[in-house]
């Protein structure tokens, strides 16, 4: 047939992709996009490859750090701080998935015990329970919401929107940060 039906699924740990479906034999190609996990290791591997392709010697293969980086002030090249409330519109209206993933990990670092996906999920889980918004079966496998394995019910999402609308301190800010239909 002259049609294609291709699906891409990712394992819960994010390390394996399965491509399935059908593709027309005379196609000029197909492009599928997916987020990768762990993103920081993917970035390090891509950077290592790019440096090597330019002839720059990179010692070891990329790996995730198992110990925190030293916090000596002389190792810091730049510190930039911004308030989450000021950058919400960029993340939500522009659907900036990188920012969403990073904020998820920042939540993990500040509230979940570690700046990782696990820490981010721990922080979100605690908040959902504290606000009575948690439902059995809720699942996050990434911080951006791109994964088809993320799970929440329509009722849970409606309850979240109601909760935020009732917040005198954040309701209007949150509403104004949401994407607008047709834009």
């Amino acid at each position: 047939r002259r049609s294609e039906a291709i699906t891409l699924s990712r394992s819960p740990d994010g390390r394996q992709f399965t491509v399935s479906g059908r593709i027309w034999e005379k196609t000029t190609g197909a492009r599928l996009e997916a987020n990768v996990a762990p993103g920081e290791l993917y970035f390090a591997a891509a950077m290592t490859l790019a440096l090597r392709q330019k002839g720059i010697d990179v010692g070891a293969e990329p790996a995730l750090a198992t110990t925190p980086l030293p916090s000596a002030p002389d190792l810091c090249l730049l510190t930039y701080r911004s308030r989450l409330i000021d950058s919400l519109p960029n993340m939500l209206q522009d659907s900036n998935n990188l920012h969403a993933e990073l904020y998820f990990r920042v939540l993990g670092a500040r509230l979940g015990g570690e700046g990782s996906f696990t820490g981010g999920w721990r922080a979100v889980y605690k908040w959902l329970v504290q606000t009575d918004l948690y439902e059995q079966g809720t699942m996050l496998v990434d911080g951006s919401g791109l994964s088809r394995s993320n799970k929440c019910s329509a009722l849970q999402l409606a309850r979240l929107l109601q909760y935020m609308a009732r917040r005198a301190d954040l309701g209007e800010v949150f509403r104004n940060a949401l994407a607008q239909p047709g834009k």
Side-chain angles (χ1 to χ4, degrees):
R1 296 183 179 175
R2 293 182 181 208
S3 66
E4 300 170 354
I6 304 170
T7 59
L8 177 70
S9 60
R10 187 176 76 175
S11 64
D13 68 1
R15 295 178 182 267
Q16 293 183 346
F17 291 90
T18 302
V19 179
S20 59
R22 65 178 190 270
I23 188 166
W24 185 39
E25 66 181 9
K26 295 182 182 179
T27 189
T28 58
R31 181 182 172 113
L32 298 172
E33 294 185 10
N35 57 338
V36 295
E40 58 273 31
L41 185 57
Y42 180 82
F43 170 79
M47 177 65 86
T48 299
L49 177 63
L51 291 171
R52 286 180 176 156
Q53 287 175 339
K54 292 292 183 182
I56 298 170
D57 183 34
V58 178
E61 292 302 312
L64 295 178
T66 56
T67 59
L69 294 174
S71 61
D74 59 328
L75 296 177
C76 180
L77 299 177
L78 171 73
T79 298
Y80 175 82
R81 296 190 186 275
S82 65
R83 298 178 326 148
L84 173 62
I85 205 165
D86 295 329
S87 54
L88 269 179
N90 176 263
M91 181 179 74
L92 296 174
Q93 290 177 1
D94 299 337
S95 191
N96 191 320
N97 297 317
L98 175 60
H99 284 192
E101 290 286 349
L102 294 174
Y103 292 144
F104 193 71
R105 284 163 171 74
V106 168
L107 282 174
R110 298 276 171 92
L111 305 172
E114 61 182 275
S116 65
F117 169 81
T118 302
W121 169 235
R122 191 178 302 125
V124 169
Y125 174 80
K126 284 181 196 175
W127 183 82
L128 289 171
V129 169
Q130 289 170 354
T131 56
D132 198 32
L133 291 170
Y134 179 76
E135 288 183 3
Q136 189 68 31
T138 301
M139 180 189 301
L140 293 179
V141 297
D142 67 6
S144 65
L146 287 176
S147 173
R148 293 179 186 217
S149 297
N150 290 326
K151 305 257 187 276
C152 82
S153 72
L155 178 60
Q156 184 180 26
L157 187 55
R159 289 177 57 221
L160 169 67
L161 293 172
Q162 286 176 333
Y163 174 86
M164 291 304 292
R166 286 192 292 257
R167 293 282 306 259
D169 57 339
L170 295 175
E172 185 178 355
V173 173
F174 182 72
R175 184 175 49 257
N176 291 337
L178 293 174
Q180 304 296 315
K183 292 185 180 178

